[in-house]
Amino acid sequence: MSTSSGTGSANHRNGTHRSSLRAQSSASTSSAAHKPSLKSKTVLRKSSPAALGSAPSASKSGNGGDSGVPGRVRVAVRLRPRNGEEMIADADFADCVELQPEVKRLKLKKNNWDTDTFEFDEVLTEYASQKRVYEVVAKPVVEGVLDGYNGTIMAYGQTGTGKTYTLGQLGEEDVADRGIMVRAMEDILAQVSLETDSISVSYLQLYMETVQDLLDPANDNIAIVEDPKSGDVSLPGATLVEIRDQHSFLELLQLGEAHRFAANTKLNTESSRSHAILMVHVRRSLKTESNGNSHMTKSLKPPLVRKGKLVVVDLAGSERISKSGSEGHTLEEAKSINLSLSALGKCINALAENSSHVPFRDSKLTRLLRDSFGGTARTSLVITIGPSPRHRGETTSTIMFGQRAMKVENMVKLKEEFDYKSLSKRLEVQLDSLIEENERQQKAFVDEIERITVEAHNQISEAEKRYANALEEEKQRYQNDYVESIKKLEENWSKNQKKLAADRLALGEKNGLEVTSNGNRSIAPALEEVSELKRMVQKEAQLKMAAEEEVNRLKLQLTESKRVEVSGNSEIMRLHKMLETETQQKEKLEEEIATLHTQLLQLSLTADETRQNLERHGSQKTSGGALDSFMSQLKLPQLQDPGNAEKPPVAKLFEQVGLQKILSLLEADDADVRIHAVKVVANLAAEEANQQQIVEAGGLTSLLMLLRNTEDETIHRVAAGAIANLAMNETNQELIMAQGGIDLLSSTAANAQDPQTLRMVAGAIANLCGNDKLQTKLRSEGGIAALLGMVRCGHPDVLAQVARGIANFAKCESRASTQGTKRGKSLLIEDGALSWIVQNAKTEITAIKRHIELALCHLAQHEGNAKEMVKEGAIWELVRISRECSREDIRSLAHRTLTSSPTFLTELRRLRVDIR
């Protein structure tokens, strides 16, 4: 077995690599068989034996729940065989330990005739293979991580006893030598589906009390962040790499090993000078069973995910300076290692003894391992020892550390939650698909209308052209007939003239002279009569032809008009039908889109309420029950509120996706939509990370507009709560004041009747009262008067917020007085707050009493307020606070204030009150 427990250089970040140090030490290390120990009288000590992987399974609960199942820290001991140096130096001495793996006991020889016996969860001899070590120590923890639990595997022991070999051996030369890290990743990759699950890895080292990234050497001072609600520890600045196969994982381990610090000491040629921490995050999606609901309900059902985190910790070895020979920078490293290990030992001692205080914050190592000892993780500890009697003291210390760790109880919790983000993304994809389909159908509808319009225009043009051609042909035909008729009339007239002339000639010959004398008189009238008749005939013919042409033209026009009208009516009817069909489809799509928008908004609200309910009620409400409740709230609006026959239109929600569009819902016509929207904004404002985005997107201005323009008290209550959350930031406080926020909050408080609305408004003003820059403006715009006006409600929650605001204001005044910028009497006293403070100083409600006591102490620190406080009787309350207050800091502040004020001292002497 290798004796290495770390690599790298102790002098600089990327110094001598592990490979060079290994080459130097290869000649001096070798394996040796275990020598039998002397039998002697034994004393049985410590814990009850149990299988290392027998921790009970925790019951499922949404989001991890608030309860867990007890699971003791499991401890295994592993013995390293003698190395080359020990085989020579200790050749005449027996091993200081004797292992009894069949009964899971270890005997520690105190001398040649006395031994101490200890029991562990597993005892591994020097012949134990790496595979057996993994199966009994790590595999149950890895299986728990795959099931959604946090798990920790840690190695502890003297330097050079094989911790790094046990955990981090890569097995490049011999696969049988693979350590726990490599084997654990093999099992994880074999159990997960990379299509639906994800694995990500961070590799860090704790060197000289700084957290450094082994995958990114430039990132050498990573901050540790603790969740104030859950207490979970995270490292947001660490590199997080997604793992897809075993080869890439081995490359990451090799990269990390190359950057880890190591040094050559007398005890170990490759002594690790830092604690190495491998974090493996496993996220697995659970398949949910179908219960025959509608497609819409199925699409809104959030998937379940389980998140497990495996932490593998290779601790640097403890060492005695006199034995390791460390000096210079190596000595400083050894001191840092021993201090962090000492802090870890103190925490385990406190947990084992059920102490009320566990000093986790004494070291960054204990802060990082807070969940592993006394937390929610399933923890396995392997302690490594050597056989040499020269190191009996270090071996004893290691064994006692393991014995104390076996007394630590963890509450193992399942990390299971609803994946609202993926559900939201799926709904957004469906919504985008519907929007695109609607746009395609609208485009097709417009194109079809244009095509039909073009066809109608073409048909009308063709009909007009045919009508013009037919009219021209008919006109030409009538003209030809007219010319022919004229020719016939002229021919007939010519014939008649010739006949008349012949008759006249014959008549002249018969009458002789009579004709000659009377011919001129009879021919002239006849010619005139014939000419007149000819003109009349021509005129009648022309009139007849014109009349016939007009009648025929009108008939044609009438026929063509009727035909065009019939064709146009049929085309119009067809277009009307198509338009009605397209309109119905468009309305249906708009209804579906509006429904999805509404349900998406309700999803955000219901998700938040479900999370709060799960956190409030714990694991008694199982994930199935929470899911059913969640799905029942996502029914259509008309099923939830059957009493409303009609609901206002929600078509404005069609284009509202993202923060900016959710903010635009605050101006919606539908009151329910506005209420839901302002609740979403309030929930977002509760998270500090969202506040800047909300303000930059205009959310603060929109919330103030709601207070100004609406009369709904529910909207006022939620909007005031959101403003109170935003007012926790100093920059936002100045924006609220600049936009007339105090005037709006004061007006809201004056008109509100609901205690919860008043509580939200009072909380917002109380946050503003803590800003030194806004004191004068806050008071001039009626902020103090508004706070004092809300005491009319009498509700304890409202009074607590009022008292907090007064305490914040008094604290700012006290600070200004200390800095020499405050002159004259307190603004609070000028506005009449002192009498209310004195009247309520003896209240039994702790939240109110604490703030009032602080306010009195801060007011009393300014000598300009002393006379008014004596006049109002506040000095008696200060005396009582200095004697009876449950908080030591407030008692001391009251006593210091009374003894430092000349006015108070004079009054106390007059009243013969002793405050010493």
Side-chain angles (χ1 to χ4, degrees):
M1 181 180 298
S2 169
T3 62
S4 66
S5 63
T7 60
S9 171
N11 297 324
H12 55 86
R13 186 71 194 215
N14 293 316
T16 306
H17 294 303
R18 179 185 296 274
S19 56
S20 62
L21 293 174
R22 185 180 292 114
Q24 298 171 9
S25 63
S26 59
S28 63
T29 57
S30 63
S31 299
H34 168 68
K35 293 185 178 182
S37 60
L38 297 174
K39 302 214 173 176
S40 61
K41 180 180 178 182
T42 64
V43 179
L44 185 62
R45 292 187 182 182
K46 305 299 179 183
S47 66
S48 58
L52 194 61
S54 61
S57 299
S59 61
K60 298 179 181 179
S61 63
N63 200 23
D66 291 328
S67 63
V69 173
R72 178 173 60 78
V73 174
R74 305 290 163 173
V75 182
V77 59
R78 186 179 194 184
L79 177 64
R80 170 184 59 76
R82 290 193 177 193
N83 56 31
E85 178 186 355
E86 291 170 346
M87 293 179 69
I88 297 173
D90 300 333
D92 297 331
F93 301 95
D95 292 349
C96 67
V97 292
E98 177 185 350
L99 304 187
Q100 297 178 334
E102 62 279 357
V103 292
K104 299 180 181 179
R105 290 181 181 175
L106 176 147
K107 290 184 178 182
L108 176 64
K109 298 178 180 179
K110 299 170 65 176
N111 46 50
N112 290 334
W113 55 87
D114 191 14
T115 63
D116 285 340
T117 301
F118 302 92
E119 292 187 356
F120 289 94
D121 295 303
E122 195 67 42
V123 175
L124 302 168
T125 68
E126 64 268 40
Y127 306 110
S129 66
Q130 291 280 73
K131 180 178 180 181
R132 170 163 170 75
V133 173
Y134 171 75
E135 288 180 347
V136 300
V137 173
K139 190 167 185 177
V141 178
V142 174
E143 291 174 347
V145 171
L146 290 169
D147 289 336
Y149 299 92
N150 287 347
T152 301
I153 305 167
M154 188 171 73
Y156 177 92
Q158 182 189 9
T159 181
T161 54
K163 298 183 295 300
T164 302
Y165 176 82
T166 300
L167 296 180
Q169 188 73 7
L170 300 182
E172 295 171 316
E173 299 177 358
D174 186 355
V175 294
D177 286 342
R178 289 169 299 154
I180 286 176
M181 291 181 181
V182 178
R183 295 177 185 269
M185 183 56 67
E186 289 176 351
D187 279 0
I188 292 173
L189 287 170
Q191 294 296 323
V192 303
S193 171
L194 296 179
E195 295 179 358
T196 58
D197 306 334
S198 66
I199 307 169
S200 54
V201 168
S202 295
Y203 199 13
L204 314 164
Q205 71 175 349
L206 180 60
Y207 176 73
M208 300 286 285
E209 281 301 297
T210 59
V211 182
Q212 303 177 356
D213 198 332
L214 289 175
L215 305 181
D216 181 10
N219 192 8
D220 58 0
N221 191 10
I222 301 174
I224 301 174
V225 178
E226 296 185 20
D227 189 327
K229 296 181 180 178
S230 63
D232 292 341
V233 175
S234 62
L235 300 166
T239 302
L240 197 62
V241 180
E242 186 171 355
I243 299 299
R244 307 292 294 179
D245 53 58
Q246 185 71 9
H247 179 69
S248 62
F249 177 68
L250 291 176
E251 290 181 344
L252 286 180
L253 290 183
Q254 290 172 345
L255 176 63
E257 287 292 300
H259 295 131
R260 191 176 176 190
F261 288 95
N264 189 346
T265 68
K266 292 180 179 180
L267 295 178
N268 186 2
T269 57
E270 293 181 90
S271 175
S272 299
R273 314 310 290 171
S274 66
H275 307 299
I277 303 169
L278 177 71
M279 293 184 177
V280 182
H281 302 267
V282 181
R283 185 180 185 276
R284 306 189 71 186
S285 299
L286 300 182
K287 295 182 178 180
T288 55
E289 298 181 359
S290 175
N291 56 2
N293 291 336
S294 65
H295 175 71
M296 181 64 71
T297 303
K298 290 179 182 178
S299 65
L300 293 175
K301 189 173 184 180
L304 284 174
V305 294
R306 287 181 177 175
K307 298 180 180 179
K309 180 174 73 173
L310 174 64
V311 180
V312 183
V313 184
D314 179 12
L315 295 174
S318 61
E319 61 183 61
R320 292 186 179 179
I321 308 303
S322 59
K323 293 184 177 182
S324 65
S326 299
E327 58 185 13
H329 187 69
T330 306
L331 177 60
E332 296 301 320
E333 292 175 336
K335 290 179 180 178
S336 177
I337 293 170
N338 289 340
L339 284 174
S340 60
L341 293 177
S342 175
L344 177 62
K346 290 178 181 179
C347 290
I348 290 180
N349 287 344
L351 290 169
E353 297 171 0
N354 293 323
S355 175
S356 59
H357 171 67
V358 181
F360 281 116
R361 305 192 67 83
D362 286 358
S363 169
K364 288 187 178 180
L365 175 64
T366 53
R367 290 178 66 190
L368 290 171
L369 297 179
R370 187 168 189 168
D371 191 50
S372 304
F373 293 96
T376 63
R378 178 176 293 165
T379 301
S380 286
L381 171 66
V382 55
I383 58 173
T384 57
I385 59 176
S388 174
R390 291 180 296 150
H391 304 307
R392 181 182 287 105
E394 290 82 350
T395 301
T396 302
S397 176
T398 301
I399 292 172
M400 298 309 296
F401 179 89
Q403 289 288 298
R404 288 190 294 270
M406 291 177 67
K407 296 182 179 180
V408 177
E409 289 280 349
N410 292 350
M411 296 299 292
V412 183
K413 293 183 181 179
L414 179 65
K415 308 295 182 180
E416 184 177 275
E417 60 186 29
F418 297 130
D419 191 359
Y420 296 113
K421 290 184 179 179
S422 64
L423 174 61
S424 177
K425 290 180 180 178
R426 188 166 74 242
L427 289 175
E428 288 178 357
V429 170
Q430 293 180 1
L431 181 60
D432 291 339
S433 177
L434 287 173
I435 292 173
E436 292 174 357
E437 181 64 25
N438 180 58
E439 289 178 348
R440 285 194 292 269
Q441 292 185 2
Q442 284 184 332
K443 182 66 169 57
F445 174 74
V446 172
D447 293 343
E448 182 66 17
I449 292 296
E450 290 179 354
R451 185 186 65 79
I452 294 172
T453 302
V454 171
E455 288 184 358
H457 282 305
N458 293 337
Q459 291 177 1
I460 292 173
S461 299
E462 187 67 27
E464 290 176 348
K465 185 177 181 181
R466 289 197 302 269
Y467 173 73
N469 292 337
L471 185 62
E472 186 65 28
E473 291 175 357
E474 192 67 18
K475 179 180 178 181
Q476 188 65 35
R477 185 172 63 81
Y478 282 127
Q479 286 179 351
N480 293 337
D481 291 344
Y482 170 71
V483 172
E484 290 294 329
S485 299
I486 292 299
K487 288 181 179 180
K488 289 180 180 179
L489 287 173
E490 289 178 348
E491 290 175 357
N492 290 335
W493 181 77
S494 179
K495 290 179 181 179
N496 289 336
Q497 286 292 97
K498 291 178 180 180
K499 183 178 180 182
L500 181 59
D503 290 343
R504 287 175 180 171
L505 182 59
L507 182 59
E509 291 177 354
K510 182 177 180 181
N511 296 324
L513 293 173
E514 184 179 358
V515 173
T516 301
S517 59
N518 299 324
N520 293 333
R521 293 196 298 270
S522 60
I523 290 173
L527 290 175
E528 293 177 359
E529 185 178 355
V530 170
S531 298
E532 183 66 24
L533 288 172
K534 183 179 179 180
R535 285 193 300 271
M536 292 177 64
V537 169
Q538 289 177 351
K539 185 177 181 180
E540 289 294 331
Q542 290 175 355
L543 291 173
K544 180 179 179 181
M545 290 177 64
E548 289 177 350
E549 289 177 359
E550 185 67 20
V551 170
N552 290 333
R553 186 177 67 81
L554 292 175
K555 286 182 178 179
L556 287 173
Q557 288 181 352
L558 180 61
T559 303
E560 186 65 22
S561 297
K562 289 183 177 179
R563 186 178 66 80
V564 172
E565 182 180 1
V566 171
S567 175
N569 288 338
S570 62
E571 189 69 20
I572 289 171
M573 290 296 294
R574 187 171 70 85
L575 290 174
H576 272 299
K577 289 182 179 179
M578 290 181 62
L579 184 60
E580 290 176 357
T581 302
E582 294 296 333
T583 302
Q584 291 175 357
Q585 292 179 354
K586 180 181 178 182
E587 291 176 351
K588 185 176 179 181
L589 285 173
E590 288 177 347
E591 290 176 359
E592 291 180 359
I593 291 170
T595 300
L596 281 175
H597 269 297
T598 304
Q599 291 173 344
L600 184 59
L601 186 59
Q602 291 176 346
L603 172 63
S604 299
L605 297 173
T606 309
D608 197 58
E609 293 174 1
T610 304
R611 177 178 59 78
Q612 294 175 359
N613 289 335
L614 289 173
E615 291 177 353
R616 184 181 306 113
H617 298 294
S619 61
Q620 294 180 358
K621 294 185 178 180
T622 62
S623 59
L627 181 59
D628 293 339
S629 173
F630 172 70
M631 294 306 303
S632 67
Q633 296 178 26
L634 288 179
K635 301 296 183 181
L636 293 177
Q638 58 266 31
L639 295 179
Q640 294 180 355
D641 191 8
N644 294 334
E646 296 183 0
K647 292 187 74 64
V650 289
K652 289 187 178 180
L653 294 174
F654 180 78
E655 298 179 354
Q656 298 165 3
V657 177
L659 176 59
Q660 186 62 47
K661 296 182 180 178
I662 288 178
L663 291 177
S664 66
L665 286 177
L666 298 176
E667 302 175 2
D669 294 336
D670 192 333
D672 290 338
V673 173
R674 289 201 306 273
I675 292 173
H676 287 311
V678 74
K679 287 183 178 179
V680 171
V681 175
N683 285 333
L684 290 173
E687 299 292 338
E688 185 176 355
N690 301 328
Q691 292 179 0
Q692 183 177 357
Q693 298 179 17
I694 292 173
V695 173
E696 291 176 351
L700 176 58
T701 303
S702 299
L703 292 170
L704 292 173
M705 288 295 293
L706 284 177
L707 295 183
R708 178 181 291 110
N709 298 332
T710 61
E711 298 180 357
D712 189 302
E713 188 155 355
T714 300
I715 294 179
H716 285 177
R717 179 176 68 254
V718 183
I723 293 171
N725 289 333
L726 294 176
M728 297 176 70
N729 178 280
E730 184 174 343
T731 303
N732 294 342
Q733 291 171 356
E734 296 177 358
L735 290 175
I736 292 171
M737 294 295 294
Q739 298 182 27
I742 279 294
D743 184 56
L744 291 172
L745 291 170
S746 300
S747 176
T748 302
N751 298 325
Q753 300 297 328
D754 182 14
Q756 295 306 315
T757 303
L758 292 172
R759 180 174 69 88
M760 295 298 181
V761 174
I765 297 177
N767 289 338
L768 295 174
C769 286
N771 192 320
D772 300 88
K773 303 176 184 177
L774 306 177
Q775 293 273 290
T776 304
K777 186 175 181 181
L778 182 68
R779 188 254 186 155
S780 65
E781 294 185 4
I784 302 302
L787 271 180
L788 295 175
M790 282 184 276
V791 301
R792 72 181 190 278
C793 172
H795 194 281
D797 292 343
V798 179
L799 297 181
Q801 294 299 324
V802 172
R804 184 171 71 87
I806 291 174
N808 287 343
F809 198 96
K811 184 177 181 181
C812 291
E813 287 190 325
S814 173
R815 228 176 0 241
S817 175
T818 303
Q819 296 170 357
T821 59
K822 174 67 178 176
R823 297 291 185 270
K825 189 166 53 177
S826 167
L827 299 178
L828 288 172
I829 295 178
E830 290 181 359
D831 282 359
L834 183 57
S835 59
W836 182 82
I837 294 174
V838 174
Q839 291 172 7
N840 290 271
K842 292 186 176 67
T843 180
E844 297 298 326
I845 302 173
T846 305
I848 302 174
K849 187 176 182 179
R850 182 178 71 253
H851 293 305
I852 287 179
E853 290 175 345
L854 277 172
L856 280 171
C857 291
H858 287 307
L859 286 173
Q861 290 187 44
H862 183 39
E863 185 65 20
N865 301 330
K867 290 184 179 180
E868 288 291 335
M869 296 185 72
V870 171
K871 180 179 178 182
E872 292 287 341
I875 189 172
W876 293 109
E877 298 302 328
L878 287 171
V879 172
R880 179 188 59 79
I881 293 170
S882 69
R883 294 174 176 176
E884 301 175 3
C885 182
S886 58
R887 289 181 52 177
E888 175 65 26
D889 56 338
I890 299 179
R891 287 203 313 274
S892 299
L893 180 60
H895 184 272
R896 187 168 62 252
T897 301
L898 288 171
T899 57
S900 62
S901 169
T903 303
F904 288 149
L905 288 174
T906 301
E907 182 66 15
L908 290 173
R909 283 194 294 269
R910 187 183 68 83
L911 297 173
R912 297 182 179 179
V913 176
D914 186 7
I915 60 170
R916 289 178 296 177

